[in-house]
Amino acid sequence: MGYVHVEKKWVFPLVITSLLCVFLFATSFNVGLVSSLRTINGIFAIIPSRLSANQTRPDFAESKLTTASPHHDREEEEDRLPRFAYLVSGSKGDLDKLWRTLRALYHPRNQYVVHLDLESSVEERLELSSRILKDSMYSKMGNVFMITKANLVTYRGPTMVANTLHACAILLKRSSDWDWFINLSASDYPLVTQDDLIDTFSTLDRNLNFIEHTSELGWKEEKRAMPLMIDPGLYMLNKSDIFWVSPRRSLPTAFKLFTGSAWMVLSRSFVEYCIWGWDNLPRTLLMYYTNFVSSPEGYFQTVICNVPEFSKTAVNHDLHYISWDNPPKQHPHVLSLNDTGKMISSGAAFARKFRQDNEVLDTIDRELLRRKGKRGGFTPGGWCSGKPKCSKVGNVGKIKPSQRSQRLRELVGRLVSEAKSGNTQCK
């Protein structure tokens, strides 16, 4: 019985081998080649293959050589244009300010995360959610997302950094199709159209990071780096001020501290590094900055400048126009019509900070963005279609940069040239 079992075990391999021999024999004499191929194909048809569909198409090779259609050309052109991922955040009483900023920033190519923190009322957050759900453009495009589980955010503590990282993680999860992350508050406003911004960034290396930074801490060394504080926002539901603890600490030696602006334009590759932290530095620094005053002004700068892979990508500017005291106080000046000339001549893409519905915003809408309506209208661009204008999405790969974008291109060009020289990077 054992002998018979061994014999049966070899029956199937013997049949396969015999068929292959027959095929090779017939092929060597160029006899019955077509029928042999059909036989072999019939045998291997019982084994699923992803290649079978391509093998049986007579035009498979030729299809790779055909000239791309105009439709494909348009897709390739669109793919060359960058996309942005925004966080627009606000607090108590900021609903209408945030909504106006979001409308002014909107472009169907981009991704948007909006957040009203826990200090805002439940009614405000529900109203924001309702506006997004009821807006026909946002519903159709699906590129505006609200963080419904609100975070408590205090600027002086680490909760703003935590909220920014939260938004980054959401944007990475929601879409693989964006190139730069931009964080703004409800008190920010754009000075250029999204078409201007897209056009300016379309020629840039997509690994560049626009982040103001310096290692010259100055008065911040004594007032911010060495004191130790606790932010109740990490564990309380109600916002309260930070409190100080003893003893003070010395400056770190394992890494070098940098400081700068809390507002940034970060590359997707750097954002991924901050979230994944594969060498653990982002997490180590996050723990260090938990007890650091105004950590949003130092965390991302210290991360990027302590990693050689990314330090060379840092461009020393936040692309904002901001008016500060000297030395800077906790908050910058509130901008008004008197600042319009300086804002425009700066070439910056954004400015802060503004009061709600200040007349200077109407001037920016009218003269810089060509936008109508404080709450309703979008900033016009090449994508706009339908009546009224921008009520429908046309070609999202079509952009119409304005003449005013020239100042932004000149600013960015100069900043990138300075960064390439190495004189302004992480020093």
Side-chain angles (χ1 to χ4, degrees):
M1 291 298 293
Y3 178 80
V4 173
H5 177 71
V6 173
E7 289 262 320
K8 287 182 178 179
K9 203 168 65 171
W10 291 98
V11 170
F12 183 75
L14 182 61
V15 171
I16 295 297
T17 304
S18 300
L19 288 170
L20 287 172
C21 289
V22 170
F23 167 72
L24 294 173
F25 182 80
T27 303
S28 64
F29 286 93
N30 198 25
V31 178
L33 177 59
V34 175
S35 61
S36 299
L37 283 170
R38 286 175 179 169
T39 302
I40 295 299
N41 284 338
I43 293 171
F44 285 100
I46 62 174
I47 304 175
S49 173
R50 291 183 179 181
L51 300 176
S52 59
N54 291 335
Q55 288 172 333
T56 56
R57 283 183 54 188
D59 62 336
F60 175 62
E62 289 79 5
S63 66
K64 289 186 175 182
L65 302 176
T66 56
T67 304
S69 66
H71 175 68
H72 290 153
D73 288 340
R74 287 196 300 271
E75 288 181 345
E76 291 173 2
E77 178 66 25
E78 180 184 329
D79 289 340
R80 283 197 291 268
L81 296 175
R83 297 172 186 263
F84 299 96
Y86 283 92
L87 163 65
V88 186
S89 56
S91 189
K92 182 180 180 181
D94 286 343
L95 170 62
D96 289 329
K97 287 171 61 178
L98 186 151
W99 187 253
R100 181 172 181 168
T101 299
L102 176 63
R103 305 294 275 189
L105 289 168
Y106 186 75
H107 194 292
R109 294 180 59 83
N110 298 335
Q111 296 290 323
Y112 300 85
V113 166
V114 294
H115 177 256
L116 284 175
D117 75 9
L118 267 181
E119 191 178 34
S120 61
S121 66
V122 174
E123 290 75 19
E124 280 184 297
R125 297 200 297 275
L126 287 175
E127 174 62 20
L128 177 59
S129 176
S130 176
R131 289 185 189 183
I132 293 171
L133 290 173
K134 292 178 180 179
D135 188 275
S136 58
M137 182 67 69
Y138 297 161
S139 297
K140 180 179 180 180
M141 300 308 298
N143 61 342
V144 178
F145 178 83
M146 177 182 174
I147 299 178
T148 54
K149 189 176 181 180
N151 301 306
L152 188 61
V153 177
T154 54
Y155 186 83
R156 298 183 72 192
T159 47
M160 183 175 170
V161 173
N163 189 61
T164 302
L165 292 172
H166 183 194
C168 287
I170 290 171
L171 288 162
L172 288 172
K173 183 178 180 180
R174 284 179 58 83
S175 174
S176 60
D177 198 12
W178 56 266
D179 303 286
W180 277 282
F181 167 79
I182 302 174
N183 67 323
L184 300 173
S185 79
S187 297
D188 290 70
Y189 212 69
L191 300 179
V192 298
T193 69
Q194 289 302 290
D195 280 12
D196 293 339
L197 196 65
I198 291 169
D199 180 63
T200 300
F201 275 69
S202 63
T203 59
L204 299 183
D205 180 349
R206 299 192 183 185
N207 291 309
L208 292 176
N209 293 275
F210 292 82
I211 177 169
E212 183 187 85
H213 59 275
T214 179
S215 62
E216 296 180 4
L217 301 185
W219 60 271
K220 291 184 179 180
E221 181 175 313
E222 175 71 20
K223 299 295 185 180
R224 294 187 176 178
M226 300 181 73
L228 279 173
M229 64 84 187
I230 301 295
D231 182 6
L234 289 172
Y235 55 87
M236 301 290 287
L237 289 175
N238 297 314
K239 188 178 292 187
S240 59
D241 199 10
I242 60 175
F243 61 88
W244 306 98
V245 295
S246 297
R248 292 161 64 88
R249 62 183 173 186
S250 59
L251 295 179
T253 57
F255 45 84
K256 188 176 182 179
L257 293 180
F258 288 79
T259 187
S261 170
W263 314 103
M264 305 155 287
V265 180
L266 303 179
S267 68
R268 184 185 180 94
S269 57
F270 180 62
V271 170
E272 288 175 339
Y273 172 73
C274 289
I275 297 300
W276 292 108
W278 44 83
D279 66 355
N280 208 41
L281 179 64
R283 281 184 286 272
T284 299
L285 291 179
L286 191 60
M287 289 187 285
Y288 174 81
Y289 274 97
T290 299
N291 306 112
F292 194 101
V293 183
S294 298
S295 56
E297 297 177 1
Y299 172 73
F300 290 98
Q301 287 83 356
T302 302
V303 172
I304 199 168
C305 286
N306 280 274
V307 183
E309 176 186 352
F310 291 109
S311 62
K312 61 186 178 183
T313 70
V315 180
N316 200 355
H317 202 283
D318 61 4
L319 298 186
H320 269 69
Y321 175 81
I322 306 176
S323 178
W324 291 98
D325 288 305
N326 188 21
K329 295 181 180 179
Q330 184 66 44
H331 300 288
H333 293 158
V334 176
L335 301 176
S336 67
L337 276 176
N338 295 331
D339 299 292
T340 305
K342 293 180 181 179
M343 283 190 285
I344 294 174
S345 62
S346 73
F350 311 97
R352 75 183 316 272
K353 77 187 215 178
F354 298 97
R355 288 197 176 97
Q356 182 172 328
D357 291 337
N358 188 282
E359 57 185 342
V360 67
L361 296 178
D362 297 334
T363 300
I364 293 171
D365 278 343
R366 182 175 60 254
E367 298 183 7
L368 302 183
L369 305 182
R370 307 185 307 276
R371 177 177 176 265
K372 297 180 180 180
K374 294 179 181 179
R375 285 180 49 183
F378 293 116
T379 299
W383 64 272
C384 287
S385 182
K387 293 183 179 180
K389 192 173 184 180
C390 300
S391 60
K392 294 183 180 179
V393 177
N395 181 3
V396 297
K398 181 181 179 181
I399 59 172
K400 292 181 178 179
S402 67
Q403 293 181 348
R404 288 174 290 276
S405 67
Q406 181 62 30
R407 290 184 184 274
L408 176 62
R409 287 195 293 269
E410 290 174 355
L411 171 64
V412 170
R414 174 174 57 81
L415 293 171
V416 172
S417 295
E418 291 174 355
K420 286 181 179 179
S421 72
N423 294 328
T424 61
Q425 289 179 293
C426 293
K427 293 183 178 180

